[in-house]
Structure formats: structure tokens, C-alpha cells
């Protein structure tokens, strides 16, 4: 935009704000878009944890949520924001910056199931093998030449089933997380509800 305006001699000042929900741009503390996806993932894994805990004795014992994140684990890390005490979901967060140690991961899953009755896992969509290929690489490329990833959730879930025998559920927080507006909507609601104050400065409900 800035270059085009210069070529046309149009007096416009273009100010560019970098954004990506992955929050992985250098020299950027918090990218626009990350706040809403962070809340979406945190609330989703916490609520899924409640559901799995309610049926763990007779049914599902492991829940795996696949989230976005190719090389940076900010979104995966955000899954832990809603946990209030030991034992709250998620019990395990797997980061793209660290290679998956399968024996250690499986041992931790078993430990959580035995201690808490169930295990909730947040897993980024990328898993890179020793040959440099992504486990969930669909063979497609986006406009930037990046591998189109997805589907690592069921792979990890099946690993748990094969090695530990636990029944599982898995879900993908993908497009719905990226376009989620829960953070912005909540902010607007608070502004609306607290738009009037009484004589002591306390917010009271009102239009």
C-alpha cells in the first residue's frame, strides 16, 4: 500500500501491524489475534476435561486436543491458562520446539490416568520425524510454500490406544479457534454492562 501510494503520488501514510494467531513474529510481544485463540483453546480444554472426568471410570480416559502451531508453541501453552490447581486439564502440553519422547509421554499419560482418573493433552499439529518430514504432512503447500498440516491428533490418540489400551477422544481446534471472537465479545459485554456507575463508583447493569 505504501509503495503503491508513493508510485501514484497519493499522500497516504500506511502503518502496518503484523498479526498471526501463532504469535510467532519476531520483535512482537503479542500479535493481534493471539488473545482470542488463546482463550478459546484454554476454555475448550478445560471444559473437555470436565466432560472426560465425568465418564473416565467407565469410558474415555484420554482426551487429545490438536491445536495450531507449526514451529512455535504459544497456542499449545495457552491451553494451560484455565487450569487453577493440580489435576486440572490439561495434564500434558506437547510443544513443537521439543521432540516427542514417546516412552516418556506414554509413561506420563499412564501416571495421570492412575492419579487423576483421566488425562487431557494439548498437542500442536506438527510432529517432525528424524528425516525432516512432518508426520501430518498432507502433501499440499499453502501460498507461502509451507506444508499443509493437520491430523496429528488421531495419530497420537491411536498411539495411546495401541500402547496403553485406553479409550480416547480427540478434537481439532483449528479454524474455529482462529476465527473465534470470544475474547473481543467478552470485552464488549463488560463495557456494555459497566456503562453506568452508582454514586460509589460501582458498576451496575444497564444499557
Amino acid at each position: 500500500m505504501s509503495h503503491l501510494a508513493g508510485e501514484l503520488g497519493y499522500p497516504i501514510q500506511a502503518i502496518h501491524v503484523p498479526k498471526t494467531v501463532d504469535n510467532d513474529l519476531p520483535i512482537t510481544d503479542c500479535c493481534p489475534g493471539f488473545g482470542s485463540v488463546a482463550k478459546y483453546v484454554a476454555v475448550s480444554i478445560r471444559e473437555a476435561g470436565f466432560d472426560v472426568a465425568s465418564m473416565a471410570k467407565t469410558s474415555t480416559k484420554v482426551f487429545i486436543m490438536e491445536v495450531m502451531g507449526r514451529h512455535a508453541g504459544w497456542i499449545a501453552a495457552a491451553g494451560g491458562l484455565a487450569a487453577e490447581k493440580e489435576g486440572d486439564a490439561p495434564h500434558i502440553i506437547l510443544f513443537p520446539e521439543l521432540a516427542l519422547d514417546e516412552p516418556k509421554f506414554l509413561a506420563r499419560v499412564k501416571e495421570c490416568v492412575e492419579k487423576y482418573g483421566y488425562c487431557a493433552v494439548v498437542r500442536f499439529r506438527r510432529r517432525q520425524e528424524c528425516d525432516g518430514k512432518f508426520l501430518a504432512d498432507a502433501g499440499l503447500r499453502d501460498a507461502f510454500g509451507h506444508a499443509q498440516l493437520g491430523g496429528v491428533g488421531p495419530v497420537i490418540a491411536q498411539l495411546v490406544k495401541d500402547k496403553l489400551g485406553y479409550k480416547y477422544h480427540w478434537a481439532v481446534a483449528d479454524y474455529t479457534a482462529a476465527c473465534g471472537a470470544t475474547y473481543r465479545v467478552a470485552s464488549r459485554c463488560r463495557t456494555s454492562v459497566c456503562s453506568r456507575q452508582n454514586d460509589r463508583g460501582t458498576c451496575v447493569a444497564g444499557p
Side-chain angles (χ1 to χ4, degrees), residues 88-110:
D88 286 346
H91 306 105
I92 301 173
I93 299 177
L94 301 174
F95 297 96
E97 293 89 345
L98 302 174
L100 177 66
D101 184 327
E102 289 188 9
K104 187 175 181 180
F105 165 68
L106 292 169
R108 176 59 178 162
V109 170
K110 183 177 180 181

Side-chain angles (χ1 to χ4, degrees), residues 20-24 31-43 45 65-82 90 92-97 121-125 172-175 177-179:
T20 167
V21 294
D22 289 348
N23 201 40
D24 58 355
C31 295
F34 174 67
S36 55
V37 74
K39 180 180 179 183
Y40 184 98
V41 169
V43 172
I45 189 64
M65 174 179 282
E66 177 184 329
V67 301
M68 293 178 290
R70 181 183 302 269
H71 299 293
W74 288 105
I75 295 178
L81 292 175
I92 301 173
I93 299 177
L94 301 174
F95 297 96
E97 293 89 345
V121 182
V122 174
R123 169 76 198 193
F124 62 98
R125 65 169 56 164
V172 181
D174 193 353
Y175 184 76
C179 66

Side-chain angles (χ1 to χ4, degrees), residues 96-182:
E97 293 89 345
L98 302 174
L100 177 66
D101 184 327
E102 289 188 9
K104 187 175 181 180
F105 165 68
L106 292 169
R108 176 59 178 162
V109 170
K110 183 177 180 181
E111 178 186 353
C112 290
V113 170
E114 293 176 349
K115 186 174 182 179
Y116 307 117
Y118 74 106
C119 180
V121 182
V122 174
R123 169 76 198 193
F124 62 98
R125 65 169 56 164
R126 162 188 174 266
R127 179 186 171 193
Q128 194 165 3
E129 300 299 291
C130 295
D131 60 4
K133 184 178 181 180
F134 292 118
L135 178 65
D137 188 342
L140 304 175
R141 294 291 182 272
D142 63 16
F144 302 101
H146 298 150
Q148 292 288 281
L149 307 179
V152 75
V155 174
I156 297 298
Q158 193 60 48
L159 174 66
V160 170
K161 175 67 174 178
D162 292 342
K163 300 295 184 179
L164 300 176
Y166 295 140
K167 184 176 180 180
Y168 63 80
H169 280 318
W170 62 270
V172 181
D174 193 353
Y175 184 76
T176 52
C179 66
T182 52

